[in-house]
Amino acid sequence: MMDKPVTLAAIVGAHGVAGEVRLKLFGEGAESLKAYGSFDAAGRTLTLKSVRPGPNGAVARFAEIGDRGAAEALRGTALTVPRSALPPLAEGEYYHADIIGLPCLSSEGEALGEIIAIENFGAGDIVEVQRPSVEGKPGKRFMAPMHAVTLEAERAVIDALFVE
């Protein structure tokens, strides 16, 4: 899990004619990208030269992108780093990449499925769980507040009061 790729941004288009790109950010902001010297971009390494806040995200320059055409060709490309490159976490913190895909059990031992998403509508994180398929039909989904989830090494335990 420590070398699982984690997407920090995605290229959404070119910015200007000199090869800069517009980025959609999935992390702490434009400044946080400076901590990483390079990114994997669909099997290609891109070396960050500069980054600054921009409209709806950030604007970045990479050493390997020299003109607008090269920048446009990368539209939709995710920029990832290995999970092991991310900073360590404090007690009670987690990276979404670490818990998406975890199998879930209820506090009573019932197998629930796996975490497929984490949402935040303003009052705290909520996990979305996909129940297993039954007779070829996809299982139902349900949501539980993060405060009702106990994260363990290889699974998540959800308080049975929040299980649908």
Side-chain angles (χ1 to χ4, degrees):
M1 178 181 296
M2 289 306 287
D3 284 332
K4 175 179 165 180
V6 176
T7 303
L8 297 181
I11 297 173
V12 294
H15 181 82
V17 296
E20 288 185 312
V21 294
R22 290 179 295 116
L23 300 176
K24 178 178 181 180
L25 301 174
F26 302 116
E28 296 281 325
E31 287 297 311
S32 68
L33 296 179
K34 291 180 181 179
Y36 309 95
S38 62
F39 299 87
D40 180 78
R44 176 180 174 188
T45 299
L46 295 181
T47 308
L48 185 65
K49 288 178 71 176
S50 66
V51 64
R52 66 183 186 278
N56 301 316
V59 175
R61 179 177 303 278
F62 293 97
E64 297 78 10
I65 304 174
D67 59 41
R68 184 177 181 84
E72 279 296 336
L74 291 171
R75 180 188 296 263
T77 302
L79 301 177
T80 67
V81 297
R83 167 61 180 87
S84 59
L86 298 176
L89 296 168
E91 181 69 30
E93 293 182 328
Y94 55 88
Y95 286 117
H96 289 196
D98 291 343
I99 64 174
I100 291 176
L102 277 181
C104 300
L105 295 175
S106 75
S107 56
E108 295 175 347
E110 175 191 359
L112 300 174
E114 73 176 37
I115 296 174
I116 60 167
I118 302 163
E119 304 291 344
N120 189 316
F121 302 108
D125 286 349
I126 298 172
V127 297
E128 184 173 2
V129 177
Q130 174 76 50
R131 289 219 179 238
S133 298
V134 177
E135 299 176 7
K137 295 181 181 178
K140 293 185 177 185
R141 295 179 178 183
F142 71 92
M143 294 181 157
M146 194 64 200
H147 69 79
V149 178
T150 302
L151 297 175
E152 297 179 355
E154 299 296 324
R155 66 184 187 178
V157 178
I158 300 176
D159 187 320
L161 294 174
F162 293 93
V163 175
E164 292 179 13

